[in-house]
Amino acid sequence: MMMLLFLLALLAVTVACSFLKTSLTVGTAAFGATLLAFTLAGEPGWLSLTLVWLLFAAAATLLNYLPWRRAFITQPILKTFRKMVPQISETEQVALDAGTVGFEGELFTGRPNWRKLIDQPLPELSMEEQAFLDGPVEELCDMIDEWEFTHYRADLSPQVWDHLKKHKFFGMIIPKSYGGLEFSAIAHRAVLEKVGGMSATAGSVVAVPNSLGPAELLLHYGTDEQKNHYLPRLAAGEDIPCFALTSTTAGSDATSIADYGVVCEGEWEGRKTLGIRLTFEKRYITLAPVATVIGLAFRLYDPDGLLGETEDIGISVALLPRSTPGLDVGRRHFPLNNPFPNGPVRGKDVFVPLDFLLGGTEYAGQGWKMLVESLSVGRAISLPSSTTGGAKLACLATGAYARIRKQFNLPIGRFEGVEEALARIASYTYATSALSRQTASAVDAGEKPAVPGAIGKYHATELSREVLKDAMDIHGGKGIILGPRNYLGRGWQGAPIWITVEGANILTRSMMIFGQGAIRCHPYVLKELEALSIEDEDEQLKEFDRLLFSHIGHSMSCASRSFVLGMSLARFAAVPGDRQTRRYYRKLSRYAASFALMADVAMLTYGGKLKMKEKISGRLGDALSWLYISASMLRRFEYEGRPAADQPIMAWAFHDAIYRIQEALKGVIDNYPIAFARPILRRIVFPLGANERRPNDRLGHKVAALMLSPSETRERLTRGCYTKDREGWVIGNMEALLPDVIAAEPLERRMLKALRAGKISGYTFEEQLDSAVEAKILSVDEKKFLEGVRERVLEIVAVDDFDIRELQAGLSDKGEAIRDAA
Ligand SMILES: Cc1cc2nc3c(=O)[nH]c(=O)nc-3n(C[C@H](O)[C@H](O)[C@H](O)COP(=O)(O)OP(=O)(O)OC[C@H]3O[C@@H](n4cnc5c(N)ncnc54)[C@H](O)[C@@H]3O)c2cc1C
């Protein structure tokens, strides 16, 4: 019994010391003190005590006497570590070097400092940026007719193109000194959210020049001559850019491009010139069919040593004017009925002078680094913002439609089945807009948020697809029948596009989010890897020893925090917030410790093979992402002044996120390859069981109710959407009608009751209204009001129909021929 107590006391000391992250010396002293206490008590017998003291003395000396520790512990581990660590390829090294670490790094510590999150300034729009949104952006929305673009033109209208160029929509990231708008990331986000939400066609056209379009690359790497030539032209819309990386054989594995260029002498504008002969076959290139300048990625070879001694120089980028002889560009792909200009770019033996290399020969071979660095910024803004815009608009529209559309004499939004979908729509919209705001504000804070960019890209596009799916289901046939009255169908068709572009989502989830985060954001792993490159062996051992023991302390701390916070349901964790949000911060603190522990366990178990263990990496990526999204939601809630009315949405989204974190961690443990360790890990991570539940029905009911009537909460959730009550914009018409629909409901109930009681009669609505007036159930004014509302409701729920010729692609020669033959 005493022995058991003794062992328990030692365990408690270990947990307490690692929970408090004490130094090794303090930990050793605490162990010694416990041992002394039992010795003085004369238990558990002198023989056992002598043995334990001897063991303690040996371990304490070995751990605390540094020369021995380094020689007998660290040195063998260092040898194994060298063999175990992944060979970091050049490509991966570039990816690792390309970004910065922001708040996401806190999650890897297992004890996030929440003040770092809360104290981050959330930038506001400047007056100039707000004026742009209220002016040119609103005017652009006035001009958008998505049906016309997608069905009749397969393009934007000329007026829209002119408007975009005139107001410098393509120059949002270009500095004013080059004639651009020089907007903040948060303003860039607001523009894309509004435009991209309303029209995938216009949104894509605006997004590309402001993300990976050559402007970003030019700003960072262009020669002065290139900047002075291209940037003012791009800002003014005189040049339309595109960027061509993807090729037939290289999609996700973009560095394997077979497109190549050979340094050689050739003829350019009648003169012998040193240049590059290029052969390439690119596809899926957005804006290529209309681009006047094409950013081209290819592998550069110098077999004759004209530039130096290296033959395979590596991936490089050149800017080719459309007029370049031999350039084959103009044909279009047709991406799921969203006809933004997108097509192939081909060329065989196209000769261009060396000046066309972006950044000149100095940057030859640096193409991948250039792309990865620029991509992290674009990824943090373009897709998260555009798809959040789509989610917001779908959320607004579906809430209104679910109130306007009645079946079984009730607004469909009152049925529990529809409520479930409405709750998801509102909460995912809340989550995705918090996420996209967080990633954009990281860019404004000067970060290159590689990991948040990947989280933003993946989760904003996935959550928006979920929102659109539910919105489509709630709209029933109204969502399916395409035509000018359909405001959802094209967005729904476009959802897989956003999933695929800028790094397809399966790859982003299973390889990139945790794969990049694990090394980049971990407090020790990158430093340990870097220690391997210290040349002086003694110095290397010293540094590795220091890092190794800090790392072990970190892992033990995460394990004990995970266990203690799990046992106490994190009730005593020191966190900020009020009565409500404190609970949320505590849960996140608990799961951050569990996540950090499982990240270490996975890295230790799999070593370099972890990058191929995509199911584990994907789950850890999910846990990391949902911690990050939850933190973004809390920040949003704080920033908006903790509005009590928004609490149900915040709570639903938060519980859903925590449940996902739990399931992700559970998945990692359930699939852990060492069977005997699984129950131990389960005890540490879920000491009282996996108790998180999905948001309950009552909460879902409250959230859904918030979507069905105008309120500050609904306005905050969908802020920035285009809601003008104009002809052809059904969402604006619905918003304008919604208050009247709500005001009509008591009258309709009165009528229904009278109808059921046989006090009024009539086959049609009009006859029943007349009868109600006669029976003094309704006044004449009330009758008129109901008639007006009814008429407008029928307008809203109407769908389009067509003569078959309007649906035939009759303008093409092939369409004409097929029709004639028939
Ligand atoms: C409409 C549209 C616009 C585009 N615009 C541009 C543009 O402007 N410029 C440009 O250069 N490119 C552009 N792209 C290309 C886009 O970036 C690629 O489509 C994308 O990188 C995926 O390549 P892929 O389609 O060849 O798919 P593949 O690489 O063939 O991948 C197929 C599937 O396999 C998965 N996969 C592949 N490898 C792995 C892995 N290791 N682990 C897990 N899953 C994996 C992917 O996630 C995907 O789901 C565009 C594409 C589209 C469709």
Side-chain angles (χ1 to χ4, degrees):
M1 180 64 189
M2 203 57 188
M3 189 54 141
L4 185 67
L5 254 182
F6 174 63
L7 291 175
L8 281 177
L10 288 185
L11 185 67
V13 169
T14 314
V15 171
C17 288
S18 44
F19 185 88
L20 298 170
K21 237 183 162 186
T22 60
S23 67
L24 193 56
T25 326
V26 173
T28 313
F31 252 75
T34 316
L35 207 47
L36 191 64
F38 276 85
T39 309
L40 292 177
E43 295 287 355
W46 70 269
L47 188 63
S48 326
L49 275 171
T50 314
L51 213 65
V52 172
W53 270 111
L54 281 175
L55 272 175
F56 170 72
T61 318
L62 198 59
L63 289 174
N64 289 283
Y65 183 58
L66 291 184
W68 287 5
R69 182 173 94 183
R70 287 176 190 146
F72 298 114
I73 302 179
T74 311
Q75 185 70 271
I77 294 181
L78 178 57
K79 269 193 190 153
T80 318
F81 185 68
R82 275 204 204 100
K83 284 189 211 141
M84 219 179 120
V85 292
Q87 200 59 30
I88 297 193
S89 65
E90 201 189 327
T91 317
E92 286 167 320
Q93 190 62 51
V94 166
L96 281 176
D97 294 342
T100 55
V101 178
F103 178 75
E104 64 281 9
E106 288 294 311
L107 299 171
F108 274 87
T109 65
R111 52 171 76 212
N113 177 353
W114 296 113
R115 289 251 63 96
K116 276 200 184 161
L117 177 81
I118 297 167
D119 294 345
Q120 283 172 14
L122 255 188
E124 294 280 357
L125 297 178
S126 69
M127 276 164 65
E128 189 189 347
E129 291 165 344
Q130 187 61 55
F132 188 78
L133 276 165
D134 297 340
V137 175
E138 189 75 7
E139 289 157 20
L140 170 64
C141 295
D142 291 344
M143 296 159 86
I144 285 175
D145 181 341
E146 190 70 346
W147 179 247
E148 183 192 305
F149 301 164
T150 59
H151 188 69
Y152 293 112
R153 288 187 183 278
D155 197 356
L156 301 175
S157 64
Q159 294 82 347
V160 167
W161 276 109
D162 287 347
H163 186 81
L164 293 176
K165 290 176 187 172
K166 181 174 158 205
H167 293 284
K168 303 189 174 180
F169 275 80
F170 302 146
M172 282 193 281
I173 59 165
I174 297 178
K176 288 191 172 147
S177 52
Y178 290 106
L181 294 174
E182 199 175 343
F183 277 175
S184 62
I186 215 87
H188 180 178
R189 165 187 178 262
V191 173
L192 287 182
E193 207 178 87
K194 188 156 187 162
V195 179
M198 195 180 171
S199 158
T201 321
S204 311
V205 169
V206 175
V208 166
N210 289 294
S211 58
L212 197 54
E216 175 84 15
L217 293 169
L218 274 163
L219 278 169
H220 290 103
Y221 310 103
T223 60
D224 284 345
E225 207 182 338
Q226 288 168 339
K227 284 186 197 171
N228 291 333
H229 174 74
Y230 280 117
L231 290 174
R233 294 178 57 78
L234 288 169
E238 287 162 20
D239 264 330
I240 302 289
C242 71
F243 193 84
L245 170 65
T246 305
S247 59
T248 312
T249 52
S252 301
D253 184 10
T255 51
S256 68
I257 41 177
D259 313 291
Y260 67 96
V262 177
V263 181
C264 61
E265 278 212 335
E267 197 163 299
W268 182 254
E269 294 177 345
R271 270 177 300 163
K272 270 200 167 229
T273 309
L274 189 57
I276 307 168
R277 198 167 296 287
L278 290 158
T279 295
F280 47 91
E281 172 133 20
K282 303 290 190 184
R283 60 178 182 178
Y284 308 150
I285 310 306
T286 302
L287 292 190
V290 296
T292 57
V293 52
I294 290 119
L296 186 81
F298 58 93
R299 188 166 273 279
L300 183 62
Y301 296 95
D302 183 16
D304 300 328
L306 297 171
L307 294 182
E309 287 174 7
T310 317
E311 181 175 347
D312 180 357
I313 294 179
I315 295 180
S316 307
V317 175
L319 295 181
L320 274 59
R322 192 184 183 91
S323 56
T324 305
L327 192 61
D328 175 7
V329 60
R331 287 188 65 78
R332 291 180 184 233
H333 299 306
F334 193 24
L336 287 173
N337 280 335
N338 282 258
F340 52 87
N342 181 280
V345 184
R346 303 181 182 107
K348 186 159 176 13
D349 294 331
V350 174
F351 183 79
V352 297
L354 277 179
D355 301 350
F356 282 18
L357 273 177
L358 202 146
T361 48
E362 193 190 326
Y363 280 100
Q366 303 278 317
W368 188 241
K369 179 171 177 289
M370 288 151 70
L371 291 175
V372 171
E373 281 187 358
S374 303
L375 197 65
S376 72
V377 174
R379 276 179 138 217
I381 302 174
S382 315
L383 286 167
S385 315
S386 312
T387 53
T388 295
K392 279 186 172 185
L393 209 53
C395 177
L396 185 81
T398 311
Y401 187 77
R403 185 75 183 246
I404 290 171
R405 174 69 173 166
K406 292 191 176 68
Q407 290 293 286
F408 307 98
N409 292 317
L410 269 183
I412 55 172
R414 298 283 184 217
F415 293 102
E416 288 199 354
V418 176
E419 263 187 4
E420 275 190 335
L422 278 174
R424 281 195 295 269
I425 290 177
S427 308
Y428 293 161
T429 302
Y430 189 87
T432 187
S433 50
L435 172 63
S436 75
R437 179 144 65 168
Q438 179 70 15
T439 55
S441 60
V443 173
D444 275 334
E447 285 179 33
K448 287 192 171 175
V451 175
I455 295 175
K457 194 276 157 170
Y458 177 82
H459 288 277
T461 53
E462 291 287 341
L463 287 172
S464 304
R465 176 160 70 171
E466 286 295 307
V467 168
L468 281 168
K469 176 181 84 62
D470 279 326
M472 285 292 289
D473 290 354
I474 291 179
H475 278 74
K478 169 82 183 156
I480 289 165
I481 304 304
L482 288 174
R485 292 165 199 260
N486 186 325
Y487 41 82
L488 279 179
R490 291 298 196 218
W492 170 240
Q493 284 181 315
I497 301 176
W498 320 130
I499 300 284
T500 301
V501 298
E502 291 193 20
N505 270 10
I506 297 180
L507 171 104
T508 303
R509 170 178 178 262
S510 43
M511 254 192 144
M512 296 180 70
I513 296 177
F514 182 74
Q516 282 193 17
I519 297 184
R520 185 198 297 275
C521 305
H522 192 283
Y524 300 105
V525 169
L526 188 55
K527 291 179 190 145
E528 284 162 346
L529 288 173
E530 283 167 356
L532 293 188
S533 52
I534 298 176
E535 281 179 10
D536 182 313
E537 282 192 8
D538 265 2
E539 282 306 310
Q540 187 189 63
L541 184 63
K542 271 187 203 164
E543 179 62 2
F544 189 75
D545 174 81
R546 189 184 68 76
L547 291 166
L548 176 70
F549 278 83
S550 306
H551 191 159
I552 294 172
H554 159 77
S555 303
M556 287 176 67
S557 157
C558 291
S560 53
R561 278 178 67 78
S562 177
F563 179 74
V564 173
L565 296 180
M567 281 300 280
S568 60
L569 300 177
R571 277 199 194 95
F572 309 108
V575 291
D578 59 11
R579 205 173 58 83
Q580 200 96 51
T581 52
R582 226 174 285 138
R583 283 188 306 149
Y584 299 156
Y585 283 115
R586 283 181 177 143
K587 270 192 192 286
L588 290 186
S589 289
R590 170 190 168 186
Y591 285 112
S594 306
F595 160 73
L597 169 71
M598 290 314 299
D600 264 4
V601 169
M603 282 190 269
L604 184 69
T605 311
Y606 296 107
K609 294 193 188 106
L610 182 55
K611 68 179 174 188
M612 294 313 286
K613 292 280 166 197
E614 292 193 347
K615 291 176 190 162
I616 297 294
S617 175
R619 291 186 184 106
L620 287 167
D622 291 345
L624 171 65
S625 301
W626 284 102
L627 283 165
Y628 189 84
I629 296 169
S630 306
S632 310
M633 291 194 293
L634 277 171
R635 186 165 176 233
R636 170 187 179 158
F637 193 64
E638 301 275 1
Y639 178 76
E640 289 176 342
R642 300 177 185 165
D646 296 6
Q647 223 286 324
I649 301 182
M650 164 72 188
W652 199 106
F654 189 84
H655 287 301
D656 178 69
I658 291 292
Y659 181 77
R660 290 178 192 242
I661 295 170
Q662 168 184 282
E663 292 305 295
L665 293 174
K666 212 151 76 72
V668 177
I669 297 173
D670 290 347
N671 292 284
Y672 189 66
I674 305 169
F676 79 85
R678 277 180 226 141
I680 302 173
L681 289 170
R682 242 173 243 130
R683 278 281 154 261
I684 296 176
V685 175
F686 303 112
L688 300 178
N691 295 327
E692 305 297 347
R693 295 285 171 266
R694 286 182 190 282
N696 67 30
D697 291 352
R698 261 185 59 212
L699 189 56
H701 169 74
K702 286 187 194 166
V703 175
L706 284 167
M707 292 301 89
L708 298 176
S709 9
S711 67
E712 280 187 19
T713 297
R714 188 166 173 273
E715 195 278 322
R716 256 191 301 275
L717 185 63
T718 58
R719 188 168 288 163
C721 290
Y722 176 72
T723 53
K724 194 175 275 182
D725 181 19
R726 67 149 162 94
E727 205 188 323
W729 184 233
V730 182
I731 294 181
N733 307 152
M734 282 201 292
E735 276 307 288
L737 175 59
L738 189 56
D740 284 351
V741 165
I742 295 169
E745 283 174 1
L747 304 181
E748 287 167 347
R749 276 198 296 274
R750 204 192 301 162
M751 251 184 84
L752 192 65
K753 205 169 147 200
L755 199 62
R756 282 184 183 146
K759 291 183 185 163
I760 56 176
S761 58
Y763 293 126
T764 63
F765 183 64
E766 289 72 22
E767 285 169 4
Q768 288 166 1
L769 278 180
D770 287 340
S771 169
V773 171
E774 240 170 67
K776 302 217 176 323
I777 307 281
L778 292 178
S779 69
V780 175
D781 285 348
E782 286 170 336
K783 175 194 152 188
K784 273 194 191 148
F785 176 64
L786 282 184
E787 271 173 344
V789 170
R790 170 85 162 190
E791 195 183 325
R792 287 157 70 201
V793 165
L794 290 178
E795 270 291 306
I796 298 287
V797 299
V799 297
D800 299 288
D801 43 60
F802 303 90
D803 183 282
I804 187 168
R805 272 169 304 202
E806 278 188 82
L807 301 178
Q808 292 168 330
L811 293 179
S812 69
D813 294 345
K814 192 165 181 182
E816 199 70 51
I818 291 170
R819 226 168 45 199
D820 286 352

